[in-house]
Amino acid sequence: MALWGGRFSTGPAESVFALSRSVHFDYRLAPYDLRSSLAHLSVLEGSGLIDKGDSAKIAKVLRDLMTEVSNGDFGIHEDDEDIHSALERAMMERIGDTGGKLRAGRSRNDQVATDLRLFSIDHMLHIAGLVTELQSALLAKAKEYADAPAPGFTHLQHAQPILFGHELAKHVHAFARDLDRINDWLARTSYSPLGAGALAGSSLPLKPEETAKLLGFNGAIGNSIDAVSDRDFVAEALFILAMVGVHLSRIGEEWCIMATSEFAWAKLDDAFSTGSSIMPQKKNPDMAELARGKAGRLVGNLTAVLTMLKGLPFAYNRDLQEDKEPLFDSIDTLNLVLPAVTGMVATTAFNRKKMAEAAPAGFSLATEIADYLVRKNVPFAQAHEAAGKCVAIAESQNKELHQLTETEFQSVHKDLDVAVRTVLTVDGALSGRTTHGGTAPSELKKQFAELENQIKSAQSIISNEAKSFSEMMGG
């Protein structure tokens, strides 16, 4: 059943209906549409706009439809334009014109904006839960390799020795920022558009603050035009999801590199690898590669919505129909990628010997020489120059820094005595990095404790929010 048409002499052309039709993807909003309808019904009854008898009939149908949608039994008809018209059509099939009373004071403009906010909150909470599971897997793996020396890299070149647990833990911090963003996003998104009508509010005695409370929102949006036209929450959600994707892509890139024969650091579990259809020896890091590849899709969805939003004037425009599919796709993508990456991380074994052997390579201990001189009150600029000269001598003679003779050290700088060799060890370099957030074992232990507390706190908050939302959806 069409929700409009009284002033039209004909229905829409077939091509127009085909382009306008959205029920094949916005049917996912059905549970949220039904829940917001119950809240709207409550206000209509409380305001005397629907009598108790009709309200009871409508409420029963809405709850019956909730069950049908939940069970997958609700059927879409060919002439249903969107989920709103499909649900109203089903309601009127069951209780006749009484079902049409629910539309009073409500437009599809504020209706879909409300539904989409509820959908987004529900699914962003689920994504947040999956992120904490990946954090836990990363932290567990970081603890497992907390004592494993490895080379640290900048520009993909050996930089300074680190503990491999420190390398892995950096990803936990990145996802913690994503969770912070979701938390901030929730605070901004938790305002209800319902009651804004098409754009100007309503002359009927509705109570937007009451429907907002019934739906678990923190309040009602303060401008009815903004209420129906705002999709910042979609764009911001897509940014957060894209950022999660970028962080997953970094993991994917690192796992691909570490699993190469040249590195031979990472051994992926068979359950999270694939083979080749022609080369029987191959073991491919496809989960890592897919995580890397899906990031482009997530960034693309964000770009599509930002581009769509940039030129919309005044209040609601039909362009906003294009906000849903990118959001749905990004959520579906991360629902697939996050568990796979979590499993890949949890089951990967790393080669301690290979990493330890590589830790001092590439003259990665050169900074220790500079710091040694600084502790002797040599200006860092001079110390840096001296360390570079030591590298040049060692490189020209094809030996490591600690193999330089006392004479060679002295030729570079008078304060480079034989004691400098005591700092030219991986263990010495690691234990010396005791600044906050550094790679020293003592700091790594503190970092792990802080991260563990953060994850537990995030999981508790997400669980409580999800429970409250579930209770609200139950009506």
Side-chain angles (χ1 to χ4, degrees):
M1 172 185 173
L3 301 183
W4 52 271
R7 63 93 65 211
F8 290 83
S9 59
T10 66
E14 185 177 340
S15 61
V16 171
F17 183 75
L19 179 60
S20 299
R21 194 170 190 257
S22 61
V23 70
H24 51 290
F25 58 82
D26 68 17
Y27 74 91
R28 296 176 66 164
L29 298 179
Y32 311 96
D33 192 84
L34 291 165
R35 181 63 190 90
S36 66
S37 291
L38 280 172
H40 185 61
L41 175 64
S42 176
V43 169
L44 290 176
E45 181 186 342
S47 300
L49 297 170
I50 295 181
D51 64 44
K52 289 186 178 181
D54 285 345
S55 179
K57 291 178 184 177
I58 295 170
K60 182 181 184 306
V61 173
L62 289 173
R63 294 192 182 281
D64 288 346
L65 289 171
M66 280 181 168
T67 301
E68 291 176 29
V69 167
S70 177
N71 294 339
D73 295 331
F74 179 71
I76 299 298
H77 291 188
E78 287 186 5
D79 56 351
D80 289 333
E81 181 182 8
D82 55 29
I83 190 58
H84 317 296
S85 58
L87 291 173
E88 182 169 302
R89 182 260 309 156
M91 191 156 47
M92 295 182 72
E93 285 174 350
R94 301 174 194 205
I95 56 174
D97 290 342
T98 300
K101 292 185 176 184
L102 185 61
R103 203 193 305 171
R106 186 173 67 169
S107 163
R108 279 188 296 181
N109 295 0
D110 63 340
Q111 191 174 353
V112 71
T114 304
D115 298 349
L116 193 56
R117 281 178 187 259
L118 293 172
F119 172 93
S120 301
I121 291 169
D122 191 10
H123 287 77
M124 288 294 276
L125 285 171
H126 181 68
I127 293 293
L130 293 179
V131 169
T132 65
E133 291 176 15
L134 176 52
Q135 282 185 304
S136 295
L138 285 162
L139 184 56
K141 194 60 65 173
K143 288 180 177 179
E144 183 181 346
Y145 292 92
D147 60 345
F153 295 89
T154 62
H155 307 279
L156 267 179
Q157 304 295 313
H158 284 223
Q160 292 175 303
I162 57 166
L163 289 169
F164 193 60
H166 190 55
E167 183 80 68
L168 293 174
K170 77 174 190 283
H171 294 298
V172 186
H173 287 275
F175 289 118
R177 293 191 294 275
D178 293 326
L179 292 175
D180 285 344
R181 292 184 187 100
I182 292 175
N183 192 49
D184 292 342
W185 173 89
L186 283 169
R188 279 187 291 279
T189 302
S190 189
Y191 286 87
S192 174
L194 200 57
L199 80 158
S202 177
S203 62
L204 299 176
L206 304 179
K207 299 175 182 177
E209 299 90 347
E210 186 175 323
T211 51
K213 186 176 180 180
L214 289 171
L215 293 172
F217 289 112
N218 293 334
I221 295 174
N223 182 292
S224 59
I225 300 174
D226 183 53
V228 299
S229 60
D230 167 47
R231 293 299 187 275
D232 289 7
F233 71 96
V234 175
E236 191 176 354
L238 286 169
F239 169 76
I240 295 168
L241 298 172
M243 205 69 233
V244 172
V246 168
H247 291 147
L248 288 167
S249 182
R250 289 192 66 194
I251 291 174
E253 175 72 357
E254 290 176 7
W255 251 249
C256 286
I257 291 171
M258 292 187 295
T260 61
S261 299
E262 286 72 21
F263 260 70
W265 285 14
K267 182 179 180 182
L268 273 62
D269 190 88
D270 286 357
F272 292 91
S273 307
T274 64
S276 166
S277 61
I278 191 171
M279 296 169 284
Q281 84 284 3
K282 291 295 294 297
K283 186 177 182 181
N284 300 323
D286 279 19
M287 298 309 99
E289 292 173 359
L290 286 168
R292 191 174 58 188
K294 295 289 186 181
R297 183 178 189 139
L298 296 166
V299 172
N301 286 336
L302 169 61
T303 303
V305 167
L306 287 175
T307 304
M308 179 269 291
L309 291 175
K310 72 175 182 62
L312 301 188
F314 304 121
Y316 180 86
N317 293 271
R318 191 59 180 271
D319 312 50
L320 291 174
Q321 182 170 300
E322 295 301 308
D323 59 359
K324 298 167 198 65
E325 287 178 290
L327 180 64
F328 295 165
D329 182 72
S330 288
I331 287 168
D332 291 346
T333 296
L334 285 184
N335 277 329
L336 287 172
V337 176
L338 279 164
V341 172
T342 299
M344 179 188 74
V345 167
T347 57
T348 299
F350 293 95
N351 190 322
R352 290 172 174 270
K353 183 180 178 183
K354 278 274 189 182
M355 293 190 295
E357 288 173 349
F363 305 108
S364 64
L365 296 170
T367 308
E368 307 309 311
I369 297 175
D371 288 351
Y372 179 83
L373 288 172
V374 168
R375 286 191 287 270
K376 291 195 168 194
N377 294 318
V378 175
F380 185 78
Q382 294 180 25
H384 185 282
E385 182 75 12
K389 288 180 179 178
C390 289
V391 170
I393 293 171
E395 191 171 36
S396 68
Q397 298 182 23
N398 197 30
K399 58 186 181 183
E400 298 298 324
L401 289 171
H402 71 274
Q403 295 174 321
L404 294 180
T405 65
E406 184 175 2
T407 300
E408 288 168 333
F409 278 125
Q410 287 282 295
S411 71
V412 171
H413 197 284
K414 63 181 179 59
D415 289 323
L416 281 178
D417 50 37
V418 69
V420 71
R421 289 203 187 97
T422 62
V423 302
L424 292 176
T425 65
V426 170
D427 288 343
L430 293 171
S431 61
R433 296 293 186 268
T434 55
T435 50
H436 177 73
T439 196
S442 58
E443 284 301 310
L444 199 54
K445 186 177 180 180
K446 294 177 188 176
Q447 182 186 166
F448 288 166
E450 290 173 1
L451 288 172
E452 191 164 15
N453 288 334
Q454 287 178 16
I455 294 170
K456 287 180 180 178
S457 176
Q459 288 174 331
S460 177
I461 292 170
I462 293 163
S463 176
N464 289 335
E465 291 280 356
K467 181 180 178 183
S468 296
F469 190 90
S470 178
E471 290 172 351
M472 181 280 297
M473 285 295 291

